[in-house]
Short mmCIF file of all heavy atoms in Angstrom, two decimals:
data_model
loop_
_atom_site.label_atom_id
_atom_site.label_comp_id
_atom_site.label_asym_id
_atom_site.label_seq_id
_atom_site.Cartn_x
_atom_site.Cartn_y
_atom_site.Cartn_z
N GLY A 161 88.58 -41.90 -89.33
CA GLY A 161 88.22 -43.23 -88.85
C GLY A 161 87.25 -43.96 -89.76
O GLY A 161 86.84 -45.08 -89.46
N ARG A 162 86.87 -43.34 -90.87
CA ARG A 162 85.95 -43.98 -91.81
C ARG A 162 86.62 -45.23 -92.38
O ARG A 162 87.79 -45.23 -92.72
CB ARG A 162 85.57 -43.02 -92.93
CG ARG A 162 84.51 -43.57 -93.88
CD ARG A 162 84.19 -42.60 -94.99
NE ARG A 162 83.62 -41.36 -94.46
CZ ARG A 162 84.23 -40.20 -94.48
NH1 ARG A 162 85.46 -40.10 -94.97
NH2 ARG A 162 83.63 -39.14 -93.99
N ARG A 163 85.84 -46.30 -92.51
CA ARG A 163 86.40 -47.59 -92.93
C ARG A 163 85.58 -48.15 -94.09
O ARG A 163 84.36 -48.06 -94.11
CB ARG A 163 86.36 -48.56 -91.75
CG ARG A 163 86.94 -49.93 -92.01
CD ARG A 163 86.61 -50.86 -90.86
NE ARG A 163 87.12 -50.36 -89.59
CZ ARG A 163 88.28 -50.75 -89.06
NH1 ARG A 163 89.02 -51.64 -89.68
NH2 ARG A 163 88.66 -50.26 -87.89
N VAL A 164 86.29 -48.74 -95.05
CA VAL A 164 85.63 -49.47 -96.12
C VAL A 164 86.25 -50.86 -96.22
O VAL A 164 87.43 -51.04 -95.93
CB VAL A 164 85.74 -48.75 -97.49
CG1 VAL A 164 85.08 -47.39 -97.46
CG2 VAL A 164 87.19 -48.62 -97.93
N THR A 165 85.43 -51.81 -96.60
CA THR A 165 85.88 -53.19 -96.78
C THR A 165 85.58 -53.61 -98.21
O THR A 165 84.42 -53.56 -98.64
CB THR A 165 85.18 -54.13 -95.79
OG1 THR A 165 85.49 -53.73 -94.45
CG2 THR A 165 85.66 -55.56 -95.98
N ILE A 166 86.60 -54.02 -98.92
CA ILE A 166 86.46 -54.41 -100.34
C ILE A 166 86.70 -55.90 -100.45
O ILE A 166 87.82 -56.37 -100.24
CB ILE A 166 87.44 -53.65 -101.23
CG1 ILE A 166 87.27 -52.14 -101.05
CG2 ILE A 166 87.26 -54.04 -102.69
CD1 ILE A 166 88.34 -51.32 -101.76
N PRO A 167 85.68 -56.70 -100.76
CA PRO A 167 85.89 -58.14 -100.94
C PRO A 167 86.69 -58.41 -102.21
O PRO A 167 86.50 -57.71 -103.22
CB PRO A 167 84.47 -58.70 -101.03
CG PRO A 167 83.64 -57.55 -101.49
CD PRO A 167 84.26 -56.31 -100.93
N LEU A 168 87.57 -59.38 -102.15
CA LEU A 168 88.39 -59.72 -103.30
C LEU A 168 87.79 -60.87 -104.09
O LEU A 168 88.49 -61.55 -104.83
CB LEU A 168 89.82 -60.08 -102.85
CG LEU A 168 90.56 -58.96 -102.11
CD1 LEU A 168 91.95 -59.41 -101.71
CD2 LEU A 168 90.63 -57.70 -102.97
N ARG A 169 86.51 -61.07 -103.93
CA ARG A 169 85.79 -62.09 -104.69
C ARG A 169 84.88 -61.40 -105.68
O ARG A 169 84.13 -60.50 -105.32
CB ARG A 169 84.95 -62.98 -103.77
CG ARG A 169 84.27 -64.14 -104.49
CD ARG A 169 83.38 -64.92 -103.53
NE ARG A 169 82.79 -66.07 -104.20
CZ ARG A 169 83.29 -67.29 -104.16
NH1 ARG A 169 84.40 -67.52 -103.48
NH2 ARG A 169 82.70 -68.28 -104.80
N GLY A 170 84.95 -61.79 -106.94
CA GLY A 170 84.16 -61.14 -107.97
C GLY A 170 82.78 -61.75 -108.11
O GLY A 170 82.38 -62.63 -107.35
N LEU A 171 82.03 -61.27 -109.08
CA LEU A 171 80.69 -61.76 -109.36
C LEU A 171 80.77 -63.18 -109.94
O LEU A 171 81.00 -63.35 -111.13
CB LEU A 171 79.97 -60.83 -110.33
CG LEU A 171 79.79 -59.39 -109.87
CD1 LEU A 171 79.23 -58.54 -110.99
CD2 LEU A 171 78.87 -59.35 -108.67
N GLY A 172 80.61 -64.17 -109.09
CA GLY A 172 80.70 -65.55 -109.54
C GLY A 172 82.13 -65.99 -109.83
O GLY A 172 82.33 -67.03 -110.45
N LEU A 173 83.13 -65.22 -109.41
CA LEU A 173 84.53 -65.53 -109.68
C LEU A 173 85.24 -65.88 -108.39
O LEU A 173 84.81 -65.54 -107.29
CB LEU A 173 85.22 -64.32 -110.34
CG LEU A 173 84.56 -63.77 -111.60
CD1 LEU A 173 85.26 -62.48 -112.02
CD2 LEU A 173 84.63 -64.80 -112.72
N ALA A 174 86.39 -66.57 -108.54
CA ALA A 174 87.19 -66.91 -107.36
C ALA A 174 87.81 -65.65 -106.76
O ALA A 174 87.91 -65.52 -105.54
CB ALA A 174 88.28 -67.92 -107.73
N THR A 175 88.27 -64.73 -107.61
CA THR A 175 88.83 -63.45 -107.16
C THR A 175 88.39 -62.36 -108.12
O THR A 175 87.79 -62.63 -109.17
CB THR A 175 90.37 -63.49 -107.12
OG1 THR A 175 90.87 -63.68 -108.46
CG2 THR A 175 90.88 -64.61 -106.23
N LEU A 176 88.70 -61.12 -107.76
CA LEU A 176 88.46 -60.02 -108.70
C LEU A 176 89.32 -60.22 -109.94
O LEU A 176 90.38 -60.86 -109.88
CB LEU A 176 88.80 -58.69 -108.05
CG LEU A 176 87.96 -58.24 -106.85
CD1 LEU A 176 88.46 -56.88 -106.35
CD2 LEU A 176 86.49 -58.18 -107.20
N PRO A 177 88.91 -59.68 -111.07
CA PRO A 177 89.73 -59.78 -112.29
C PRO A 177 91.11 -59.17 -112.06
O PRO A 177 91.27 -58.24 -111.25
CB PRO A 177 88.93 -58.98 -113.32
CG PRO A 177 87.52 -59.02 -112.83
CD PRO A 177 87.62 -59.02 -111.34
N PRO A 178 92.15 -59.69 -112.75
CA PRO A 178 93.52 -59.19 -112.55
C PRO A 178 93.65 -57.68 -112.69
O PRO A 178 94.38 -57.05 -111.93
CB PRO A 178 94.30 -59.93 -113.65
CG PRO A 178 93.54 -61.20 -113.85
CD PRO A 178 92.10 -60.84 -113.67
N TYR A 179 92.96 -57.08 -113.66
CA TYR A 179 93.07 -55.64 -113.85
C TYR A 179 92.61 -54.87 -112.62
O TYR A 179 93.21 -53.86 -112.22
CB TYR A 179 92.23 -55.24 -115.07
CG TYR A 179 92.19 -53.76 -115.33
CD1 TYR A 179 93.31 -53.10 -115.84
CD2 TYR A 179 91.06 -53.00 -115.06
CE1 TYR A 179 93.29 -51.73 -116.08
CE2 TYR A 179 91.02 -51.64 -115.31
CZ TYR A 179 92.14 -51.01 -115.80
OH TYR A 179 92.12 -49.66 -116.02
N GLU A 180 91.55 -55.35 -111.97
CA GLU A 180 91.04 -54.68 -110.78
C GLU A 180 91.98 -54.87 -109.59
O GLU A 180 92.16 -53.96 -108.77
CB GLU A 180 89.64 -55.19 -110.46
CG GLU A 180 88.63 -54.87 -111.57
CD GLU A 180 87.25 -55.44 -111.31
OE1 GLU A 180 87.03 -55.92 -110.16
OE2 GLU A 180 86.40 -55.44 -112.21
N LEU A 181 92.58 -56.06 -109.46
CA LEU A 181 93.53 -56.30 -108.38
C LEU A 181 94.74 -55.38 -108.52
O LEU A 181 95.22 -54.81 -107.52
CB LEU A 181 93.96 -57.77 -108.39
CG LEU A 181 92.89 -58.80 -108.03
CD1 LEU A 181 93.41 -60.20 -108.26
CD2 LEU A 181 92.45 -58.62 -106.58
N ARG A 182 95.23 -55.24 -109.73
CA ARG A 182 96.40 -54.36 -109.95
C ARG A 182 96.03 -52.90 -109.68
O ARG A 182 96.84 -52.14 -109.15
CB ARG A 182 96.92 -54.53 -111.37
CG ARG A 182 97.52 -55.91 -111.66
CD ARG A 182 98.25 -55.94 -112.99
NE ARG A 182 98.75 -57.27 -113.31
CZ ARG A 182 98.11 -58.14 -114.09
NH1 ARG A 182 96.96 -57.78 -114.67
NH2 ARG A 182 98.61 -59.33 -114.31
N ALA A 183 94.80 -52.53 -110.05
CA ALA A 183 94.37 -51.15 -109.79
C ALA A 183 94.31 -50.87 -108.30
O ALA A 183 94.71 -49.78 -107.84
CB ALA A 183 93.01 -50.90 -110.44
N LEU A 184 93.85 -51.82 -107.51
CA LEU A 184 93.83 -51.66 -106.05
C LEU A 184 95.25 -51.54 -105.51
O LEU A 184 95.53 -50.69 -104.65
CB LEU A 184 93.11 -52.84 -105.40
CG LEU A 184 91.59 -52.88 -105.50
CD1 LEU A 184 91.06 -54.22 -105.00
CD2 LEU A 184 90.96 -51.74 -104.72
N ALA A 185 96.14 -52.39 -106.00
CA ALA A 185 97.53 -52.35 -105.55
C ALA A 185 98.18 -51.01 -105.89
O ALA A 185 98.90 -50.42 -105.07
CB ALA A 185 98.31 -53.51 -106.18
N ASP A 186 97.94 -50.53 -107.10
CA ASP A 186 98.52 -49.24 -107.49
C ASP A 186 97.95 -48.10 -106.66
O ASP A 186 98.68 -47.16 -106.28
CB ASP A 186 98.24 -48.98 -108.98
CG ASP A 186 99.00 -49.93 -109.89
OD1 ASP A 186 99.97 -50.57 -109.41
OD2 ASP A 186 98.62 -50.05 -111.07
N ALA A 187 96.65 -48.16 -106.35
CA ALA A 187 96.02 -47.08 -105.59
C ALA A 187 96.59 -46.99 -104.18
O ALA A 187 96.84 -45.89 -103.67
CB ALA A 187 94.51 -47.30 -105.53
N MET A 188 96.86 -48.11 -103.55
CA MET A 188 97.33 -48.07 -102.16
C MET A 188 98.83 -47.80 -102.03
O MET A 188 99.31 -47.53 -100.93
CB MET A 188 96.96 -49.38 -101.44
CG MET A 188 97.66 -50.61 -101.94
SD MET A 188 97.19 -52.10 -100.97
CE MET A 188 95.44 -52.20 -101.31
N THR A 189 99.55 -47.84 -103.14
CA THR A 189 100.99 -47.55 -103.06
C THR A 189 101.38 -46.23 -103.72
O THR A 189 102.54 -45.81 -103.63
CB THR A 189 101.80 -48.69 -103.74
OG1 THR A 189 101.33 -48.88 -105.09
CG2 THR A 189 101.64 -49.99 -102.96
N THR A 190 100.45 -45.54 -104.36
CA THR A 190 100.76 -44.28 -105.02
C THR A 190 101.20 -43.22 -104.01
O THR A 190 100.45 -42.88 -103.08
CB THR A 190 99.52 -43.76 -105.79
OG1 THR A 190 99.18 -44.70 -106.82
CG2 THR A 190 99.81 -42.41 -106.42
N GLY A 191 102.42 -42.74 -104.17
CA GLY A 191 102.95 -41.70 -103.29
C GLY A 191 103.20 -42.14 -101.86
O GLY A 191 103.46 -41.31 -100.99
N ARG A 192 103.14 -43.42 -101.58
CA ARG A 192 103.30 -43.92 -100.20
C ARG A 192 104.73 -44.40 -100.00
O ARG A 192 105.24 -45.19 -100.81
CB ARG A 192 102.31 -45.06 -99.94
CG ARG A 192 102.29 -45.55 -98.49
CD ARG A 192 101.48 -46.83 -98.38
NE ARG A 192 100.05 -46.63 -98.61
CZ ARG A 192 99.17 -46.41 -97.64
NH1 ARG A 192 99.58 -46.32 -96.37
NH2 ARG A 192 97.89 -46.27 -97.93
N PRO A 193 105.39 -43.98 -98.94
CA PRO A 193 106.74 -44.49 -98.66
C PRO A 193 106.70 -45.98 -98.37
O PRO A 193 105.68 -46.52 -97.96
CB PRO A 193 107.18 -43.70 -97.43
CG PRO A 193 105.92 -43.19 -96.82
CD PRO A 193 104.95 -42.99 -97.95
N ASP A 194 107.83 -46.66 -98.63
CA ASP A 194 107.86 -48.11 -98.47
C ASP A 194 108.53 -48.55 -97.18
O ASP A 194 109.01 -49.68 -97.07
CB ASP A 194 108.57 -48.75 -99.67
CG ASP A 194 109.98 -48.21 -99.85
OD1 ASP A 194 110.43 -47.39 -99.03
OD2 ASP A 194 110.64 -48.62 -100.83
N SER A 195 108.55 -47.68 -96.20
CA SER A 195 109.16 -48.03 -94.91
C SER A 195 108.27 -47.54 -93.78
O SER A 195 107.28 -46.82 -93.99
CB SER A 195 110.55 -47.39 -94.79
OG SER A 195 110.47 -45.97 -94.88
N GLY A 196 108.61 -47.92 -92.57
CA GLY A 196 107.83 -47.50 -91.41
C GLY A 196 106.46 -48.13 -91.40
O GLY A 196 106.27 -49.28 -91.78
N ARG A 197 105.49 -47.35 -90.98
CA ARG A 197 104.13 -47.88 -90.85
C ARG A 197 103.47 -48.14 -92.19
O ARG A 197 102.41 -48.78 -92.25
CB ARG A 197 103.27 -46.93 -90.02
CG ARG A 197 103.02 -45.59 -90.68
CD ARG A 197 102.09 -44.73 -89.82
NE ARG A 197 101.77 -43.46 -90.47
CZ ARG A 197 100.95 -42.56 -89.94
NH1 ARG A 197 100.38 -42.79 -88.77
NH2 ARG A 197 100.70 -41.42 -90.57
N ASP A 198 104.06 -47.62 -93.26
CA ASP A 198 103.50 -47.84 -94.60
C ASP A 198 104.05 -49.08 -95.29
O ASP A 198 103.60 -49.41 -96.39
CB ASP A 198 103.77 -46.61 -95.48
CG ASP A 198 103.02 -45.39 -94.99
OD1 ASP A 198 101.78 -45.49 -94.84
OD2 ASP A 198 103.65 -44.34 -94.77
N ALA A 199 105.00 -49.74 -94.66
CA ALA A 199 105.63 -50.89 -95.32
C ALA A 199 104.61 -52.01 -95.57
O ALA A 199 104.66 -52.69 -96.60
CB ALA A 199 106.80 -51.39 -94.48
N ASP A 200 103.70 -52.21 -94.59
CA ASP A 200 102.73 -53.31 -94.75
C ASP A 200 101.81 -53.09 -95.94
O ASP A 200 101.33 -54.06 -96.54
CB ASP A 200 101.90 -53.45 -93.47
CG ASP A 200 102.71 -53.99 -92.30
OD1 ASP A 200 103.77 -54.58 -92.56
OD2 ASP A 200 102.27 -53.82 -91.15
N ALA A 201 101.54 -51.82 -96.27
CA ALA A 201 100.69 -51.56 -97.44
C ALA A 201 101.35 -52.04 -98.71
O ALA A 201 100.69 -52.57 -99.61
CB ALA A 201 100.38 -50.06 -97.53
N HIS A 202 102.68 -51.88 -98.80
CA HIS A 202 103.40 -52.37 -99.99
C HIS A 202 103.42 -53.90 -100.02
O HIS A 202 103.36 -54.50 -101.10
CB HIS A 202 104.83 -51.82 -99.99
CG HIS A 202 104.90 -50.37 -100.34
ND1 HIS A 202 105.05 -49.92 -101.64
CD2 HIS A 202 104.83 -49.26 -99.56
CE1 HIS A 202 105.08 -48.60 -101.65
NE2 HIS A 202 104.96 -48.17 -100.40
N VAL A 203 103.49 -54.53 -98.85
CA VAL A 203 103.43 -55.99 -98.81
C VAL A 203 102.07 -56.48 -99.30
O VAL A 203 101.98 -57.42 -100.10
CB VAL A 203 103.69 -56.50 -97.37
CG1 VAL A 203 103.48 -58.01 -97.29
CG2 VAL A 203 105.10 -56.14 -96.93
N LEU A 204 100.99 -55.83 -98.82
CA LEU A 204 99.64 -56.21 -99.26
C LEU A 204 99.47 -55.98 -100.75
O LEU A 204 98.88 -56.80 -101.46
CB LEU A 204 98.61 -55.41 -98.47
CG LEU A 204 97.14 -55.67 -98.82
CD1 LEU A 204 96.78 -57.13 -98.63
CD2 LEU A 204 96.22 -54.78 -97.97
N ALA A 205 99.99 -54.86 -101.25
CA ALA A 205 99.91 -54.58 -102.68
C ALA A 205 100.63 -55.65 -103.48
O ALA A 205 100.17 -56.07 -104.56
CB ALA A 205 100.48 -53.20 -102.98
N GLY A 206 101.79 -56.11 -102.98
CA GLY A 206 102.52 -57.18 -103.66
C GLY A 206 101.72 -58.47 -103.71
O GLY A 206 101.75 -59.19 -104.72
N GLN A 207 100.97 -58.76 -102.65
CA GLN A 207 100.12 -59.95 -102.65
C GLN A 207 98.99 -59.83 -103.67
O GLN A 207 98.63 -60.81 -104.34
CB GLN A 207 99.56 -60.18 -101.25
CG GLN A 207 100.61 -60.53 -100.21
CD GLN A 207 100.05 -60.59 -98.80
OE1 GLN A 207 99.00 -60.02 -98.51
NE2 GLN A 207 100.75 -61.29 -97.91
N LEU A 208 98.43 -58.62 -103.80
CA LEU A 208 97.38 -58.41 -104.80
C LEU A 208 97.93 -58.60 -106.21
O LEU A 208 97.27 -59.20 -107.07
CB LEU A 208 96.77 -57.02 -104.64
CG LEU A 208 96.00 -56.75 -103.35
CD1 LEU A 208 95.48 -55.31 -103.35
CD2 LEU A 208 94.85 -57.72 -103.19
N ARG A 209 99.12 -58.09 -106.44
CA ARG A 209 99.72 -58.25 -107.78
C ARG A 209 100.04 -59.71 -108.05
O ARG A 209 99.91 -60.19 -109.20
CB ARG A 209 100.98 -57.39 -107.88
CG ARG A 209 100.69 -55.88 -107.85
CD ARG A 209 101.94 -55.07 -108.16
NE ARG A 209 101.65 -53.63 -108.18
CZ ARG A 209 101.94 -52.81 -107.18
NH1 ARG A 209 102.56 -53.28 -106.08
NH2 ARG A 209 101.63 -51.53 -107.26
N ALA A 210 100.45 -60.45 -107.01
CA ALA A 210 100.71 -61.88 -107.18
C ALA A 210 99.42 -62.62 -107.53
O ALA A 210 99.42 -63.54 -108.37
CB ALA A 210 101.34 -62.46 -105.92
N MET A 211 98.31 -62.25 -106.89
CA MET A 211 97.02 -62.85 -107.23
C MET A 211 96.64 -62.52 -108.66
O MET A 211 96.09 -63.37 -109.38
CB MET A 211 95.95 -62.34 -106.26
CG MET A 211 96.08 -62.80 -104.83
SD MET A 211 94.91 -61.96 -103.71
CE MET A 211 93.33 -62.48 -104.41
N ALA A 212 96.92 -61.31 -109.10
CA ALA A 212 96.60 -60.91 -110.47
C ALA A 212 97.44 -61.67 -111.49
O ALA A 212 96.95 -62.01 -112.56
CB ALA A 212 96.80 -59.40 -110.64
N ASP A 213 98.69 -61.96 -111.13
CA ASP A 213 99.58 -62.69 -112.06
C ASP A 213 99.26 -64.18 -112.09
O ASP A 213 99.71 -64.88 -113.02
CB ASP A 213 101.03 -62.49 -111.65
CG ASP A 213 101.48 -61.04 -111.83
OD1 ASP A 213 100.86 -60.33 -112.64
OD2 ASP A 213 102.45 -60.63 -111.16
N ASN A 214 98.50 -64.66 -111.11
CA ASN A 214 98.20 -66.08 -111.05
C ASN A 214 96.70 -66.29 -110.79
O ASN A 214 96.31 -66.79 -109.75
CB ASN A 214 99.03 -66.75 -109.94
CG ASN A 214 98.94 -68.25 -109.97
OD1 ASN A 214 98.61 -68.86 -110.99
ND2 ASN A 214 99.19 -68.88 -108.82
N PRO A 215 95.87 -65.87 -111.73
CA PRO A 215 94.41 -65.90 -111.49
C PRO A 215 93.85 -67.30 -111.33
O PRO A 215 92.78 -67.48 -110.75
CB PRO A 215 93.84 -65.21 -112.73
CG PRO A 215 94.88 -65.40 -113.79
CD PRO A 215 96.21 -65.34 -113.06
N LEU A 216 94.55 -68.31 -111.85
CA LEU A 216 94.05 -69.68 -111.74
C LEU A 216 94.46 -70.33 -110.45
O LEU A 216 94.03 -71.45 -110.13
CB LEU A 216 94.55 -70.53 -112.91
CG LEU A 216 94.07 -70.09 -114.30
CD1 LEU A 216 94.66 -70.99 -115.37
CD2 LEU A 216 92.56 -70.09 -114.37
#
Side-chain angles (χ1 to χ4, degrees):
R162 185 181 297 111
R163 182 190 301 264
V164 298
T165 300
I166 304 172
L168 300 180
R169 185 184 183 95
L171 300 173
L173 306 172
T175 64
L176 295 181
Y179 177 72
E180 297 176 11
L181 293 172
R182 293 191 184 97
L184 285 171
D186 292 343
M188 67 178 63
T189 55
T190 297
R192 186 190 291 267
D194 57 3
S195 60
R197 66 177 183 178
D198 293 306
D200 290 341
H202 286 270
V203 174
L204 179 58
Q207 294 173 339
L208 295 179
R209 293 188 178 101
M211 292 172 61
D213 293 337
N214 189 22
L216 297 179

